[in-house]
Amino acid sequence: MASITKRGNNYRVAVSNGRDRNGKQIIETATFRPDPARTERQNQKALEKFAIEFEEKVKSGKYLDGEKLTFYAFACTWLHEYAEQHLTAATVEAHRILLEQHVFPVIGSVKLAKVQPLHLNKLYNAMAAERKDGNQGGYSAATIRRTHATISSVMSTAVKWNVLLDNPCERVTLPKVQQSESIKFFTLEETETFLSALDQDYQEGKISLQHKVFFHMALFCGLRRGELIALEWSDIDLVEGTVSVTKSTGLVGGKPVTKQPKNSSSMRVVSIPASVVDLLREHRRQQLRYRLSLGTYWKGDNYIFTQSDGSQMYPSTPSATFKKLIHSYNAAHEDKLPDIRLHDLRHTSATLLISQNVDVKTVSSRLGHAQTSTTMNIYAHALKKKDVAAAEALENLLIKRA
């Protein structure tokens, strides 16, 4: 219930609004100024109405004041009222982790309206200088830019909701992302080496057939890890040789959550090479035999990639297996493979397609990008090589003939 205190000729209305991250009670206040043209009784009724309406705004979350609200308090509101309503669960979790690990400890207690570019520059400089996970060096420019994007989204929402006048993130200069930092991939020769090592490990029983299929689909179809994890056999047309991508699985609070992609462009049908279709058929036969042998112990439904009891494969499993495969190969060979991530098989797929003169629109469609400009920005390294090759071809045609 709102408390009312008279201060001079005015009244201070105070309402409790929960507690901050340190457990301290948050008190929202507003000032009521009596109207001299009204009677005392009229002003009393107006005060009571003002107090009730103010309390309703505070309790419903509709009262927001950038001068009084901390960045932490508004960011929590943003996560609940905006991010959880408009973004995928995995994206919300990524924003939450960045905020909790990097942002809240530094500017969480700062009033929202008081956050300035100087605060953000200090935050980013600290991130660039030292990591919090015990590893040496600082965070990459890409990680800093992702952190900045999260803060900027919080601030831009505050502007839209009339809590702030402007977004201080727009006045911050960010570190540039180096090409080697943003995109990693196998070259054609490295890809051939990887596939050969993958086949050998399978023949020797070091990895299962389903992992071999998983990596082939990541490479030949350019699918994301979450899209592969979410696949069911009903998504595969073994006759037509296609896969329908309609959902994705990510970790939220350490638990797998499957949802439709946030962009309609991510929902797509991708052609599968014949060799991968053959692998899928063999995997399907092997899985059915294994399922029959387990009987009622089989808990899965229709997933292509599973745990030992048939339930959906845990999202981190293929990434760990992929890393193990790379490290095992490098330990036994002098011609080392680059220690890339599982997601970089998707980058490898796109880069090799572009190098083979596949048009950007087709590559973009296979990847599920909303716009070709996204593909062009991400794979500018491959397009640059094609541009140089085009210039050389034109020179060979026109100049060297002269």
Side-chain angles (χ1 to χ4, degrees):
M1 184 176 179
S3 64
I4 302 174
T5 306
K6 188 172 183 179
R7 293 191 169 186
N9 295 325
N10 301 323
Y11 294 85
R12 177 180 180 269
V13 180
V15 175
S16 174
N17 193 22
R19 297 182 180 276
D20 63 17
R21 62 197 303 263
N22 297 316
K24 184 178 179 181
Q25 191 175 31
I26 300 172
I27 302 296
E28 304 291 0
T29 62
T31 300
F32 175 80
R33 296 176 175 81
D35 187 347
R38 294 176 177 175
T39 66
E40 183 177 347
R41 183 178 179 81
Q42 288 173 331
N43 273 318
Q44 183 63 35
K45 288 185 176 181
L47 171 59
E48 292 172 358
K49 181 180 179 182
F50 177 87
I52 292 173
E53 291 178 347
F54 177 67
E55 184 174 18
E56 287 178 350
K57 287 182 179 179
V58 171
K59 296 301 183 183
S60 65
K62 295 180 180 178
Y63 175 74
L64 300 172
D65 186 345
E67 294 290 341
K68 298 179 180 179
L69 206 61
T70 63
F71 179 87
Y72 170 82
F74 182 79
C76 290
T77 300
W78 173 83
L79 282 168
H80 179 65
E81 299 295 336
Y82 173 79
E84 291 179 3
Q85 309 303 319
H86 300 282
L87 306 177
T88 65
T91 301
V92 173
E93 185 69 6
H95 283 308
R96 194 190 309 278
I97 290 172
L98 286 174
L99 287 168
E100 292 179 350
Q101 288 186 351
H102 303 297
V103 185
F104 289 159
V106 180
I107 64 171
S109 61
V110 179
K111 294 295 188 290
L112 192 66
K114 300 298 183 183
V115 177
Q116 297 297 317
L118 178 62
H119 294 101
L120 303 179
N121 284 329
K122 286 184 177 180
L123 167 62
Y124 303 150
N125 289 338
M127 289 180 66
E130 185 178 0
R131 299 177 65 94
K132 295 182 179 180
D133 55 9
N135 293 326
Q136 292 186 347
Y139 291 98
S140 68
T143 299
I144 294 173
R145 293 178 79 92
R146 285 195 297 271
T147 304
H148 177 79
T150 296
I151 298 174
S152 184
S153 184
V154 173
M155 293 299 196
S156 63
T157 302
V159 173
K160 291 178 182 178
W161 290 355
N162 295 320
V163 180
L164 289 180
L165 293 177
D166 67 346
N167 182 354
C169 295
E170 296 175 354
R171 303 192 299 277
V172 174
T173 300
L174 293 171
K176 293 183 178 180
V177 178
Q178 301 297 321
Q179 178 179 312
S180 59
E181 183 181 307
S182 58
I183 294 292
K184 293 182 179 180
F185 55 92
F186 285 146
T187 63
L188 176 59
E189 293 75 16
E190 290 167 345
T191 303
E192 292 171 341
T193 299
F194 167 74
L195 290 174
S196 177
L198 177 60
D199 187 60
Q200 183 174 347
D201 276 13
Y202 170 63
Q203 295 297 332
E204 295 176 357
K206 295 180 180 179
I207 64 168
S208 65
L209 176 59
Q210 73 165 344
H211 279 108
K212 181 178 179 179
V213 175
F214 192 103
F215 300 142
H216 272 77
M217 291 195 69
L219 178 61
F220 286 94
C221 300
L223 302 190
R224 302 175 178 91
R225 181 186 68 174
E227 294 170 341
L228 287 164
I229 291 289
L231 284 180
E232 300 177 45
W233 285 109
S234 57
D235 298 318
I236 301 290
D237 188 330
L238 293 174
V239 177
E240 294 294 328
T242 60
V243 53
S244 297
V245 182
T246 60
K247 51 194 176 297
S248 181
T249 299
L251 288 175
V252 179
K255 297 181 179 180
V257 175
T258 301
K259 284 189 173 183
Q260 286 187 347
K262 61 181 179 180
N263 296 320
S264 58
S265 59
S266 293
M267 300 180 68
R268 61 201 188 276
V269 176
V270 179
S271 296
I272 309 172
S275 61
V276 181
V277 170
D278 290 340
L279 285 175
L280 280 164
R281 284 198 175 101
E282 176 57 30
H283 173 42
R284 178 63 168 161
R285 288 191 292 267
Q286 190 180 101
Q287 188 185 87
L288 287 173
R289 289 194 297 268
Y290 177 67
R291 179 173 182 171
L292 288 172
S293 70
L294 291 185
T296 56
Y297 181 73
W298 182 270
K299 299 178 181 178
D301 184 15
N302 195 34
Y303 291 112
I304 296 178
F305 304 108
T306 68
Q307 299 184 47
S308 60
D309 61 356
S311 57
Q312 185 182 36
M313 178 183 283
Y314 196 73
S316 63
T317 300
S319 298
T321 303
F322 178 75
K323 282 292 185 182
K324 184 178 179 181
L325 191 155
I326 298 296
H327 295 165
S328 175
Y329 177 85
N330 287 343
H333 298 81
E334 293 185 2
D335 56 327
K336 311 294 184 184
L337 285 171
D339 191 14
I340 66 174
R341 307 165 302 164
L342 172 60
H343 187 75
D344 294 324
L345 287 181
R346 173 176 163 87
H347 293 323
T348 299
S349 178
T351 301
L352 292 179
L353 286 175
I354 292 172
S355 73
Q356 296 302 305
N357 297 318
V358 176
D359 64 276
V360 174
K361 186 175 181 180
T362 299
V363 176
S364 181
S365 177
R366 287 180 66 84
L367 295 177
H369 288 160
Q371 299 175 334
T372 55
S373 58
T374 302
T375 310
M376 294 176 71
N377 290 335
I378 295 175
Y379 300 105
H381 63 282
L383 294 168
K384 177 64 177 177
K385 290 182 179 179
K386 299 301 296 182
D387 184 60
V388 171
E392 292 176 350
L394 197 59
E395 180 184 45
N396 291 335
L397 180 65
L398 299 177
I399 303 300
K400 295 186 178 180
R401 281 189 175 186

PDB file of all heavy atoms in Angstrom, residues 38 123 129 176 181 265 319 375 385:
ATOM      1  N   ARG A  38      -8.714  24.341  -5.793  1.00  0.00           N
ATOM      2  CA  ARG A  38      -9.629  23.362  -5.238  1.00  0.00           C
ATOM      3  C   ARG A  38      -9.759  23.528  -3.722  1.00  0.00           C
ATOM      4  O   ARG A  38      -8.890  24.111  -3.061  1.00  0.00           O
ATOM      5  CB  ARG A  38      -9.133  21.937  -5.543  1.00  0.00           C
ATOM      6  CG  ARG A  38      -9.137  21.568  -7.005  1.00  0.00           C
ATOM      7  CD  ARG A  38      -8.547  20.189  -7.178  1.00  0.00           C
ATOM      8  NE  ARG A  38      -8.578  19.738  -8.570  1.00  0.00           N
ATOM      9  CZ  ARG A  38      -8.017  18.594  -8.991  1.00  0.00           C
ATOM     10  NH1 ARG A  38      -7.391  17.818  -8.124  1.00  0.00           N
ATOM     11  NH2 ARG A  38      -8.094  18.255 -10.260  1.00  0.00           N
ATOM     12  N   LEU A 123      33.908  -0.530 -19.515  1.00  0.00           N
ATOM     13  CA  LEU A 123      33.490  -1.931 -19.500  1.00  0.00           C
ATOM     14  C   LEU A 123      34.176  -2.715 -20.604  1.00  0.00           C
ATOM     15  O   LEU A 123      34.727  -3.801 -20.374  1.00  0.00           O
ATOM     16  CB  LEU A 123      31.973  -2.015 -19.655  1.00  0.00           C
ATOM     17  CG  LEU A 123      31.376  -3.401 -19.962  1.00  0.00           C
ATOM     18  CD1 LEU A 123      31.674  -4.372 -18.833  1.00  0.00           C
ATOM     19  CD2 LEU A 123      29.869  -3.295 -20.186  1.00  0.00           C
ATOM     20  N   ALA A 129      40.982  -6.471 -21.727  1.00  0.00           N
ATOM     21  CA  ALA A 129      42.228  -6.655 -20.997  1.00  0.00           C
ATOM     22  C   ALA A 129      42.281  -7.958 -20.216  1.00  0.00           C
ATOM     23  O   ALA A 129      43.339  -8.570 -20.072  1.00  0.00           O
ATOM     24  CB  ALA A 129      42.440  -5.479 -20.042  1.00  0.00           C
ATOM     25  N   LYS A 176      37.285  -3.213 -33.826  1.00  0.00           N
ATOM     26  CA  LYS A 176      36.993  -3.882 -35.088  1.00  0.00           C
ATOM     27  C   LYS A 176      37.211  -5.380 -34.948  1.00  0.00           C
ATOM     28  O   LYS A 176      38.118  -5.833 -34.271  1.00  0.00           O
ATOM     29  CB  LYS A 176      37.886  -3.330 -36.212  1.00  0.00           C
ATOM     30  CG  LYS A 176      37.585  -1.877 -36.576  1.00  0.00           C
ATOM     31  CD  LYS A 176      38.444  -1.429 -37.734  1.00  0.00           C
ATOM     32  CE  LYS A 176      38.114   0.019 -38.130  1.00  0.00           C
ATOM     33  NZ  LYS A 176      38.950   0.477 -39.270  1.00  0.00           N
ATOM     34  N   GLU A 181      39.012 -13.629 -36.667  1.00  0.00           N
ATOM     35  CA  GLU A 181      38.277 -13.752 -35.417  1.00  0.00           C
ATOM     36  C   GLU A 181      36.808 -14.039 -35.665  1.00  0.00           C
ATOM     37  O   GLU A 181      36.148 -14.704 -34.886  1.00  0.00           O
ATOM     38  CB  GLU A 181      38.438 -12.432 -34.658  1.00  0.00           C
ATOM     39  CG  GLU A 181      37.796 -12.377 -33.301  1.00  0.00           C
ATOM     40  CD  GLU A 181      37.994 -11.031 -32.662  1.00  0.00           C
ATOM     41  OE1 GLU A 181      39.156 -10.580 -32.586  1.00  0.00           O
ATOM     42  OE2 GLU A 181      36.999 -10.420 -32.252  1.00  0.00           O
ATOM     43  N   SER A 265      12.667 -17.017 -42.656  1.00  0.00           N
ATOM     44  CA  SER A 265      13.648 -17.457 -43.658  1.00  0.00           C
ATOM     45  C   SER A 265      14.432 -18.677 -43.181  1.00  0.00           C
ATOM     46  O   SER A 265      14.960 -19.443 -43.994  1.00  0.00           O
ATOM     47  CB  SER A 265      14.619 -16.313 -43.983  1.00  0.00           C
ATOM     48  OG  SER A 265      15.298 -15.892 -42.808  1.00  0.00           O
ATOM     49  N   SER A 319      29.249 -31.163 -30.353  1.00  0.00           N
ATOM     50  CA  SER A 319      30.366 -30.213 -30.293  1.00  0.00           C
ATOM     51  C   SER A 319      31.569 -30.863 -29.622  1.00  0.00           C
ATOM     52  O   SER A 319      32.711 -30.719 -30.090  1.00  0.00           O
ATOM     53  CB  SER A 319      29.951 -28.950 -29.522  1.00  0.00           C
ATOM     54  OG  SER A 319      28.893 -28.281 -30.171  1.00  0.00           O
ATOM     55  N   THR A 375      24.506 -12.769 -45.982  1.00  0.00           N
ATOM     56  CA  THR A 375      25.468 -13.739 -46.507  1.00  0.00           C
ATOM     57  C   THR A 375      26.710 -13.032 -47.047  1.00  0.00           C
ATOM     58  O   THR A 375      27.843 -13.461 -46.789  1.00  0.00           O
ATOM     59  CB  THR A 375      24.823 -14.573 -47.633  1.00  0.00           C
ATOM     60  OG1 THR A 375      23.567 -15.070 -47.185  1.00  0.00           O
ATOM     61  CG2 THR A 375      25.715 -15.723 -48.033  1.00  0.00           C
ATOM     62  N   LYS A 385      37.889 -12.989 -52.752  1.00  0.00           N
ATOM     63  CA  LYS A 385      38.746 -13.839 -53.585  1.00  0.00           C
ATOM     64  C   LYS A 385      38.152 -14.006 -54.977  1.00  0.00           C
ATOM     65  O   LYS A 385      38.869 -14.028 -55.975  1.00  0.00           O
ATOM     66  CB  LYS A 385      38.947 -15.199 -52.917  1.00  0.00           C
ATOM     67  CG  LYS A 385      39.805 -15.156 -51.658  1.00  0.00           C
ATOM     68  CD  LYS A 385      39.994 -16.545 -51.072  1.00  0.00           C
ATOM     69  CE  LYS A 385      40.869 -16.495 -49.830  1.00  0.00           C
ATOM     70  NZ  LYS A 385      41.051 -17.846 -49.228  1.00  0.00           N
TER      71      LYS A 385
END
